[in-house]
Amino acid sequence: MASGLSRQNLVTPNAIVQLLRYCSTQSWGNDYKSTFPIAGVDGSLTDRLNTPRLQSRVVAKTGSLGGVKTLSGYATSNTGQAIVFSILSNNFNLPAKRVTEAIDQLVEAIVQDAPTGR
């Protein structure tokens, strides 16, 4: 399944988060969420976020173009809180692997440090 990402897209991470939140409130939301790759289990996340504390706690869609890497989806924090996130990077001049690693570190930090009561 392709991300639909193209150079003509001008969408913000906040807009993606709002869309994902909306989807999660719909009657078809769980079916939609079930189409996302599962961290450390399948699809484009088979080899990502696969530590025991993250595996299966993140479902997200990847996207990439030359100089662009993204990850957006849903996670469950250490405290059980549902989190919706979107990380978009572009115009980087690092190796793509380093950008992917940085994105994964951000997701790990979000899962570990999510504030409660929000």
Side-chain angles (χ1 to χ4, degrees):
M1 173 195 253
S3 69
L5 185 66
S6 82
R7 299 225 178 265
Q8 287 72 41
N9 293 145
L10 298 175
V11 64
T12 66
N14 184 53
I16 293 171
V17 166
Q18 294 306 316
L19 176 63
L20 292 174
R21 281 186 182 157
Y22 170 80
C23 292
S24 69
T25 66
Q26 301 306 300
S27 60
W28 43 264
N30 286 333
D31 290 334
Y32 173 69
K33 186 176 172 182
S34 74
T35 67
F36 284 42
I38 302 168
V41 175
D42 65 5
S44 57
L45 295 182
T46 300
D47 297 322
R48 292 179 64 181
L49 304 164
N50 55 5
T51 62
R53 68 176 173 251
L54 292 175
Q55 187 172 1
S56 300
R57 291 177 53 194
V58 177
V59 295
K61 183 67 184 104
T62 61
S64 63
L65 292 168
V68 176
K69 288 276 186 188
T70 69
L71 187 66
S72 299
Y74 304 92
T76 303
S77 75
N78 287 345
T79 60
Q81 180 182 0
I83 301 165
V84 181
F85 68 91
S86 182
I87 302 168
L88 310 179
S89 64
N90 63 11
N91 296 324
F92 55 82
N93 58 2
L94 300 170
K97 182 177 170 61
R98 286 197 49 208
V99 176
T100 298
E101 290 169 352
I103 290 171
D104 290 356
Q105 289 171 352
L106 285 169
V107 172
E108 184 172 2
I110 290 166
V111 167
Q112 290 179 357
D113 297 331
T116 58
R118 193 168 175 208

